[in-house]
């Protein structure tokens, strides 16, 4: 069949995963790809219809939100097949996501961040919040940060093997003094937490102690970073570049409303300017 009809007709999902991992290593999607390989590894991509994929997600994840089904099934499959399409292994797929039924997560405001950093006496938490909120780093990437990955002379830090499987260099100049104060753990890590849960527990305790609203590490870091940049007038594309988002659609789904709010305001302002000028001419 491959000889007669070409590779695209018979290429399997497993072949696409091999190509994807060779280029991107899988990142945090790896755990999802293992399950998808078990189910679809020998399945020809042409047989992976939207119904087949959605039925699989509903069967294996029956009691979760659609946002979880999207994160565990739809987005990993899209990433693998989109990469295969760039290699001309298959045609570019169009796999609709489940309707998003998750509540919109709100990031910590600049005022909250400022108050936390001003009032907290916990050096490690202060440095962690400052690092994540100014760089958009994920909690897991901050937890993996080694002292040897920080270049104080250049004012940068390198986040190793991030979610998209790539290293990412971030600017840490303004917060370098906070990082320098921290004792380095025996394994070389800057932030000595073994799990994200441990970070969130510590952060919640400090918030309650200070009488501040409790936010998770993701809310004070990645969410706060994206919202602050978009509210400052940067586009989704610019924020994706600054924050290391590999999939612009993920960023658009979570924060597109902020860009639209700003562009709507600009459209209204420009329309008002035009009408004021037009009315002056008419008079």
């Amino acid at each position: 069949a491959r000889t007669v009809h070409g590779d695209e007709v018979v290429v399997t999902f497993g072949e696409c995963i091999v190509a994807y991992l060779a280029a991107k290593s899988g990142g945090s999607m790896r755990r999802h790809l293992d399950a998808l390989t078990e189910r679809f590894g020998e399945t020809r991509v042409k047989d992976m219809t939207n119904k087949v994929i959605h039925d699989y997600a509903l069967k294996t994840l029956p009691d979760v939100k659609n946002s979880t089904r999207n994160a565990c099934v739809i987005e990993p499959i899209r990433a693998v097949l989109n990469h295969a399409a760039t290699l001309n292994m298959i045609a570019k797929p169009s796999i609709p996501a489940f309707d998003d039924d998750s509540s919109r997560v709100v990031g910590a405001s600049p005022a909250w961040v400022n108050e936390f950093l001003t009032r907290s006496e916990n050096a490690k938490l202060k440095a962690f919040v400052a690092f994540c909120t100014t760089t958009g780093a994920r909690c897991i990437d901050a937890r993996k940060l080694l002292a040897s990955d920080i270049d104080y002379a250049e004012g940068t830090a390198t986040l190793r093997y991030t979610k998209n499987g790539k290293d990412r260099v971030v600017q840490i100049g303004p917060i370098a003094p906070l990082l320098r104060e921290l004792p380095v753990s025996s394994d070389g890590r800057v932030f000595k937490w073994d799990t994200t849960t441990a970070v969130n527990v510590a952060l919640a305790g400090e918030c309650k102690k200070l009488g501040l609203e409790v936010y998770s590490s993701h809310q004070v870091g990645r969410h706060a970073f994206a919202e602050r940049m978009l509210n400052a007038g940067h586009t989704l594309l610019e924020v994706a570049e600054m924050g290391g988002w590999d999939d612009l659609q993920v960023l658009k789904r979570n924060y597109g409303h902020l860009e639209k709010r700003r562009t709507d305001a600009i459209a209204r302002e420009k329309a008002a300017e035009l009408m004021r000028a037009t009315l002056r001419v008419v008079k």
Side-chain angles (χ1 to χ4, degrees), residues 114-151:
N114 181 67
E115 189 164 4
F116 184 92
L117 296 180
T118 301
R119 295 175 53 198
S120 176
E121 296 180 357
N122 187 314
K124 185 167 72 166
L125 279 173
K126 284 179 65 172
F128 176 85
V129 169
F131 181 79
C132 290
T133 202
T134 57
T135 65
R138 297 177 180 85
C139 182
I140 187 173
D141 295 328
R143 288 195 295 104
K144 292 189 299 183
L145 180 68
L146 299 177
S148 58
D149 290 328
I150 299 177
D151 186 333

Side-chain angles (χ1 to χ4, degrees), residues 17-273:
I17 286 185
V18 169
Y20 179 81
L21 292 177
K24 301 178 180 292
S25 301
S28 64
M29 282 190 182
R30 186 61 185 259
R31 65 185 186 279
H32 304 314
L33 295 181
D34 289 342
L36 292 171
T37 299
E38 184 176 345
R39 167 59 181 85
F40 294 113
E42 298 181 5
T43 303
R44 293 184 295 183
V45 172
K46 78 177 190 64
D47 296 327
M48 291 176 63
T49 64
N50 292 336
K51 184 179 187 305
V52 168
I53 294 171
H54 278 230
D55 285 350
Y56 165 78
L58 291 168
K59 181 179 179 180
T60 55
L61 299 168
D63 301 315
V64 301
K65 291 184 176 181
N66 283 342
S67 55
T68 300
R69 296 188 181 104
N70 288 334
C72 296
V73 178
I74 304 300
E75 290 172 13
I77 290 178
R78 278 178 175 172
V80 169
L81 297 185
N82 283 337
H83 179 71
T86 66
L87 300 177
N88 296 320
M89 294 173 64
I90 60 171
K92 187 174 177 63
S94 177
I95 306 171
F98 287 93
D99 292 337
D100 192 357
D101 54 4
S102 61
S103 57
R104 183 167 286 155
V105 179
V106 178
S109 68
W112 184 98
V113 172
N114 181 67
E115 189 164 4
F116 184 92
L117 296 180
T118 301
R119 295 175 53 198
S120 176
E121 296 180 357
N122 187 314
K124 185 167 72 166
L125 279 173
K126 284 179 65 172
F128 176 85
V129 169
F131 181 79
C132 290
T133 202
T134 57
T135 65
R138 297 177 180 85
C139 182
I140 187 173
D141 295 328
R143 288 195 295 104
K144 292 189 299 183
L145 180 68
L146 299 177
S148 58
D149 290 328
I150 299 177
D151 186 333
Y152 287 108
E154 292 294 326
T156 62
T158 301
L159 303 177
R160 304 291 182 186
Y161 195 59
T162 60
K163 185 177 182 179
N164 58 21
K166 304 173 184 176
D167 290 350
R168 178 182 164 226
V169 177
V170 297
Q171 301 297 316
I172 53 98
I175 63 170
L178 292 175
L179 298 175
R180 282 184 182 275
E181 291 180 4
L182 300 180
V184 178
S185 64
S186 58
D187 61 2
R189 285 185 299 147
V190 175
F191 301 110
K192 294 178 284 187
W193 285 292
D194 292 328
T195 67
T196 296
T197 298
V199 178
N200 288 333
V201 168
L203 187 56
E206 186 70 2
C207 289
K208 292 174 181 177
K209 176 182 175 182
L210 299 174
L212 296 175
E213 185 172 354
V214 174
Y215 286 115
S216 69
S217 56
H218 208 61
Q219 287 176 288
V220 303
R222 206 149 174 79
H223 280 299
F225 175 87
E227 291 180 8
R228 189 170 63 251
M229 293 302 175
L230 286 166
N231 287 330
H234 294 287
T235 66
L236 284 170
L237 189 60
E238 289 172 333
V239 175
E241 178 66 25
M242 289 186 287
W245 274 272
D246 208 33
D247 189 341
L248 189 61
Q249 290 306 310
V250 172
L251 191 64
K252 183 176 181 180
R253 183 175 67 246
N254 290 332
Y255 310 108
H257 64 289
L258 296 176
E259 184 179 58
K260 188 175 188 308
R261 182 191 305 164
R262 179 174 57 81
T263 54
D264 285 348
I266 293 173
R268 288 194 298 271
E269 179 183 345
K270 295 304 179 183
E273 289 178 2

